[in-house]
Amino acid sequence: MSTVEGHSGKLIFGKLGGIDIMAMQGRFHYYEGYNMKEVTFPVRVMYELGIKTLFVSNAAGGMNPAFKIGDLMVITDHINFFPEHPLRGKNFPTGPRFPDMHEAYDHELINLATKIAKEKKIRLVYGVYIGVTGPTFETPAEYRMYRTLGGDTVGMSTVPEVIVAHHCGIKTFGISVVTDLGGFDNPVEVSHEEVQEAADKAQPLMTEIMREMIKRTA
């Protein structure tokens, strides 16, 4: 089970936008001590149950100076800084030994989210997510390094699940909620409680976009 506050670790079946969905209320994190096979096991289960599209979200630190706390960043690509790869070991027959990663985040779903956000007048930003081990938040120097490498947000999840989903042929759409900002001239201390508060405020807008996306892709 998940050991992180705000992650109850429940697997929920229900409807969103009138469409049958399967949702994880919380997830397993590498920093909790789980290995990558355990972190990504729920995605394997989803694949076996016939899931075709995966929507992922996370709370992340923003490094792009154009971003604001509470922004919804559509993930266009990622950089993997986890020390263990989720596909390491014997290859699962769900995909090739060496999967191509040019479109880990589905372009059609990104375009659909953009269209819906414009219709509903919801601000979206776009960028590259960097996945790191955690559980410490980044130092100012680390924020600046990740920004230099091409990152716009940084967090402790998402990348392993997306890699496995992509390997399984599942289309993926991802959003980062920008819950704090780092790497600038005036660094601000951040706590888990503040991250949760910022994520909770942005959640209704993210849910509105995803609900409409699910309705239009069903």
Side-chain angles (χ1 to χ4, degrees):
M1 61 177 294
S2 177
T3 63
V4 185
E5 184 180 347
H7 290 253
S8 61
K10 295 179 180 178
L11 193 60
I12 299 172
F13 294 84
K15 289 184 180 291
L16 186 63
I19 306 301
D20 292 326
I21 67 164
M22 174 181 176
M24 290 180 64
Q25 189 175 8
R27 51 153 64 99
F28 303 112
H29 298 83
Y30 189 69
Y31 64 75
E32 294 177 83
Y34 296 107
N35 63 46
M36 280 300 180
K37 294 291 189 295
E38 294 168 327
V39 168
T40 58
F41 180 72
V43 178
R44 297 286 184 193
V45 173
M46 291 177 182
Y47 169 79
E48 295 297 335
L49 291 174
I51 296 298
K52 302 298 183 185
T53 306
L54 177 68
F55 292 80
V56 293
S57 64
N58 59 58
M63 302 170 288
N64 188 320
F67 290 178
K68 302 180 295 184
I69 290 178
D71 271 345
L72 299 176
M73 188 196 84
V74 173
I75 303 174
T76 58
D77 205 346
H78 71 230
I79 299 174
N80 183 12
F81 265 90
F82 286 94
E84 181 185 352
H85 198 283
L87 300 183
R88 179 178 177 269
K90 184 179 180 181
N91 186 48
F92 280 82
T94 56
R97 169 76 282 186
F98 304 106
D100 179 88
M101 293 296 292
H102 274 89
E103 194 177 335
Y105 301 85
D106 189 80
H107 292 172
E108 289 185 3
L109 292 175
I110 291 173
N111 291 338
L112 178 59
T114 300
K115 180 181 178 181
I116 292 169
K118 286 181 178 178
E119 291 173 359
K120 296 182 177 294
K121 295 181 171 54
I122 297 173
R123 169 182 161 91
L124 288 183
V125 294
Y126 303 81
V128 175
Y129 175 84
I130 292 186
V132 299
T133 302
T136 54
F137 292 112
E138 288 66 40
T139 68
E142 287 170 338
Y143 270 124
R144 290 192 294 271
M145 177 189 72
Y146 293 140
R147 177 62 180 160
T148 299
L149 291 175
D152 296 285
T153 58
V154 58
M156 308 168 195
S157 64
T158 300
V159 170
E161 296 99 316
V162 169
I163 290 173
V164 169
H166 191 65
H167 184 252
C168 291
I170 298 172
K171 291 183 177 182
T172 305
F173 173 79
I175 283 184
S176 286
V177 179
V178 179
T179 53
D180 60 281
L181 300 170
F184 307 128
D185 292 335
N186 297 310
V188 179
E189 291 186 12
V190 62
S191 68
H192 182 64
E193 291 73 23
E194 290 171 326
V195 167
Q196 280 190 295
E197 182 179 353
D200 289 343
K201 288 181 179 179
Q203 184 175 337
L205 296 177
M206 180 179 65
T207 301
E208 188 172 356
I209 291 173
M210 288 190 174
R211 181 189 294 114
E212 191 63 28
M213 289 180 71
I214 290 169
K215 285 174 60 178
R216 298 189 191 186
T217 57

